[in-house]
């Protein structure tokens, strides 16, 4: 099984260690594509005139108060790298609590969960990367839009990596556009159910959506689940006491699953 995760907007810099080696990350065939984005990002953020800094902030979708992110990006080629599970922070990753897993549970997580990234394409949680700022929605000078860039670059590699394994897709919309899994996959969303005026209402609550996904991945890691099909994956989730409802999906495409939760 492969679990697809979005990155977090916030990231924690590594305190020390060697810099990133793009060829050491999962799917080393992507090393050249990663290096190209990395160097273009560093070049964009390395310009120091006031106008250049303003341009860099605009390209990356940052505010003037986030100039520190530009400075951090200029140092990516030499910055210390740490496991992605330590670099990515935020609600989903806090709920996942990868640092609290050890032994077989950690090994399961490291080989099963992968994070989609505007800079790296896709990495495993055990891959060493520096903290960075570059969403997949960016249009990078010299490269263009990162979504089509990675959509082209990831297709063959991920099709091969998932040919014989079910996929659980927990990505947000922007990152889901980077690669589309096939029929042996399930796209999952979290719906919060509450009763309003005696009528049950369901909606997506961003914070709760992310936290539930993190807890779900952690539960699968503790169980070391090894489903061979989406049906077995659904059974595993229900055995872990998640309320799963299947929705109609496109023919030949991934199945659509809702996780229904009723508490905040």
């Amino acid at each position: 099984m492969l679990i697809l995760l979005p990155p977090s907007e916030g990231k924690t810099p590594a305190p020390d260690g060697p810099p990133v080696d793009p060829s050491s990350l999962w799917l080393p065939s992507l090393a050249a594509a990663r290096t190209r984005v990395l160097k273009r990002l560093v070049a964009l953020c390395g310009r120091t005139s006031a106008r250049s800094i303003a341009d860099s902030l605009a390209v990356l979708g940052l505010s003037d108060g986030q100039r520190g992110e530009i400075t951090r990006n200029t140092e990516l080629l030499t910055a210390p790298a740490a496991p992605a599970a330590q670099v990515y922070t935020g609600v989903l990753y806090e709920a996942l609590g990868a640092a609290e897993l050890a032994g077989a549970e950690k090994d399961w997580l490291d080989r099963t969960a992968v994070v989609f990234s505007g800079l790296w394409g896709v990495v495993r949680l055990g891959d060493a990367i520096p903290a960075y700022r570059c969403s997949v929605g960016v249009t990078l000078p010299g490269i263009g839009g990162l979504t089509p860039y990675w959509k082209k670059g990831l297709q063959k590699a991920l099709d091969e990596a998932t040919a014989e394994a079910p996929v659980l897709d927990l990505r947000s919309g922007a990152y889901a556009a980077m690669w589309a899994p096939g029929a042996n996959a399930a796209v999952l969303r979290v719906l919060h159910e509450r009763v309003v005026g005696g009528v049950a209402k369901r909606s997506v609550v961003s914070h709760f959506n992310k936290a539930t996904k993190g807890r779900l991945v952690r539960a699968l890691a503790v169980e070391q689940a090894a489903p061979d099909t989406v049906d077995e994956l659904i059974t595993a989730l229900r055995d872990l006491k998640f309320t799963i409802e299947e929705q109609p999906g496109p023919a030949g495409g991934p199945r659509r699953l809702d996780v229904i939760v009723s508490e905040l």
Side-chain angles (χ1 to χ4, degrees), residues 137-263:
V138 164
T139 298
L140 202 59
I143 289 181
L146 291 179
T147 298
Y149 177 85
W150 284 118
K151 188 172 183 178
K152 180 179 179 180
L154 291 173
Q155 186 73 50
K156 184 175 183 292
L158 285 176
D159 285 352
E160 292 175 352
T162 60
E164 298 180 1
V167 172
L168 178 60
D169 191 350
L170 306 182
R171 297 171 295 170
S172 55
Y175 291 93
M178 294 171 68
W179 175 73
N184 194 23
V187 176
L188 183 146
R189 67 175 179 173
V190 178
L191 295 179
H192 173 233
E193 183 175 83
R194 58 196 180 100
V195 177
V196 179
V199 178
K201 302 284 187 178
R202 292 178 176 179
S203 61
V204 176
V205 179
S206 179
H207 182 282
F208 201 44
N209 168 60
K210 295 173 183 177
T212 300
K213 287 179 177 178
R215 290 196 295 269
L216 183 147
V217 176
R218 181 181 179 86
L220 289 170
V222 171
E223 188 68 18
Q224 297 173 56
D228 291 321
T229 66
V230 173
D231 284 331
E232 291 182 7
L233 171 60
I234 293 172
T235 297
L237 291 172
R238 286 174 173 160
D239 287 346
L240 291 168
K241 309 306 180 186
F242 289 96
T243 300
I244 304 293
E245 293 183 1
E246 186 166 1
Q247 305 299 329
R255 291 161 70 175
R256 307 287 179 177
L257 305 180
D258 289 343
V259 178
I260 311 302
V261 289
S262 58
E263 73 279 7

Side-chain angles (χ1 to χ4, degrees), residues 69-80:
E69 301 285 357
I70 300 295
T71 301
R72 179 182 293 171
N73 279 351
T74 66
E75 302 168 350
L76 286 174
L77 293 170
T78 57

Side-chain angles (χ1 to χ4, degrees), residues 17-36 38-39 75-84 119-124 126-131 150:
V20 64
D21 175 3
S23 65
S24 72
L25 307 179
W26 187 52
L27 301 178
S29 63
L30 300 175
R34 290 168 173 143
T35 300
R36 186 180 176 211
L38 176 61
K39 289 184 176 179
E75 302 168 350
L76 286 174
L77 293 170
T78 57
L119 175 52
W120 313 113
V122 63
V123 295
R124 279 184 162 147
D127 287 347
I129 59 173
W150 284 118

Side-chain angles (χ1 to χ4, degrees), residues 39-110:
K39 289 184 176 179
R40 291 288 185 178
L41 181 61
V42 170
L44 170 71
C45 296
R47 300 176 299 173
T48 57
S49 71
R51 181 168 182 175
S52 294
I53 292 173
D55 288 345
S56 297
L57 290 170
V59 167
L60 297 177
L62 303 176
S63 68
D64 191 63
Q66 294 174 299
R67 289 190 177 208
E69 301 285 357
I70 300 295
T71 301
R72 179 182 293 171
N73 279 351
T74 66
E75 302 168 350
L76 286 174
L77 293 170
T78 57
Q86 298 177 25
V87 173
Y88 291 118
T89 57
V91 176
L92 188 155
Y93 292 92
E94 289 174 1
L96 171 55
E100 300 163 9
L101 300 176
E105 295 173 359
K106 181 181 182 301
D107 292 342
W108 182 96
L109 186 65
D110 286 345

